[in-house]
Amino acid sequence: MTADLELRLRALMRRAQDGDAAAWRELLGELSRRLSVFFARRLGPAHAADIEDLVQETLLAIHRRRVTYDAAQPFTAWAHAVARYKLIDFWRRRRIRVHVPLETFEDSLWAPPDGSAEARLDLERVLGHLPERQQRLIRDVKIEGLSLAEAGARAGMTEGAAKVSLHRAMAALTARMREREDG
């Protein structure tokens, strides 16, 4: 995901929450395209007929829950959570058991199809402000898709300690990004 896209979607959502119908239509159109790709990747051709239904269910859920969105938080993470719950509901209704790691980088609706050099440099610059151990945990869990137990073992920590450290690292990154936006 590009930072520009996050900012644009967040701005659209803020305007939509303030009653701007054009911003709401634009946001729903953008989400519809991204949700179609998100669900298609996870369901495959066997459930192609269900993709549009899931997109519509998700857009409806986003519409109903739009008042719960906190404009100080990333919009894409909020929308992604709604989509994930709709996908899980679909699997439950169909009695499909699929293991989907909760903490994977690829699981984002807005992940770029290829990691550009600029994005990697930005990531390294942002992570450079964290202690090495926290940097490693973020790379292992959020980028490489390792479980907390696997990442903790690599770092010589228990799963619980890795979870706490990763949470603190993400909180520090969030605070740093907010400072950059405000200043």
Side-chain angles (χ1 to χ4, degrees):
M1 173 195 69
T2 66
D4 291 340
L5 179 61
E6 169 63 32
L7 292 174
R8 188 170 67 80
L9 293 176
R10 188 186 304 182
L12 286 171
M13 183 60 165
R14 285 180 185 158
R15 288 179 24 219
Q17 284 180 315
D18 289 336
D20 184 336
W24 186 240
R25 280 190 301 276
E26 184 179 345
L27 179 65
L28 291 179
E30 184 71 36
L31 288 175
S32 180
R33 289 186 293 278
R34 292 183 179 282
L35 288 167
S36 292
V37 172
F38 174 80
F39 290 126
R41 284 182 182 163
R42 281 145 186 87
L43 295 177
H47 295 284
D50 298 310
I51 293 170
E52 185 59 31
D53 290 341
L54 275 170
V55 169
Q56 293 305 315
E57 283 179 36
T58 304
L59 291 176
L60 185 58
I62 287 171
H63 176 74
R64 287 181 179 152
R65 293 180 180 94
R66 71 186 181 277
V67 297
T68 68
Y69 170 66
D70 177 0
Q73 300 299 317
F75 173 74
T76 54
W78 180 82
H80 181 253
V82 174
R84 282 180 57 89
Y85 285 120
K86 287 299 171 186
L87 182 60
I88 291 167
D89 289 345
F90 170 81
W91 286 333
R92 284 182 182 145
R93 283 192 309 266
R94 299 290 175 108
R95 301 192 192 290
I96 298 172
R97 296 188 63 86
V98 177
H99 174 72
V100 178
L102 293 177
E103 312 247 4
T104 60
F105 177 75
E106 299 84 21
D107 225 14
S108 172
L109 284 171
W110 295 273
D114 62 341
S116 68
E118 184 179 332
R120 281 191 297 276
L121 287 174
D122 285 344
L123 177 64
E124 292 306 315
R125 192 172 19 243
V126 169
L127 289 179
H129 296 282
L130 295 174
E132 181 60 37
R133 197 176 218 181
Q134 288 182 340
Q135 289 180 36
R136 183 80 260 154
L137 282 171
I138 288 176
R139 284 187 184 97
D140 287 349
V141 175
K142 298 293 186 179
I143 297 170
E144 293 180 27
L146 296 180
S147 70
L148 282 168
E150 293 167 327
R154 267 191 184 179
M157 310 168 80
T158 65
E159 181 179 355
K163 183 177 184 177
V164 169
S165 185
L166 180 64
H167 176 74
R168 288 178 179 160
M170 296 303 292
L173 286 178
T174 301
R176 179 146 181 89
M177 296 310 289
R178 282 195 183 125
E179 287 172 12
R180 288 178 69 188
E181 286 178 1
D182 294 339

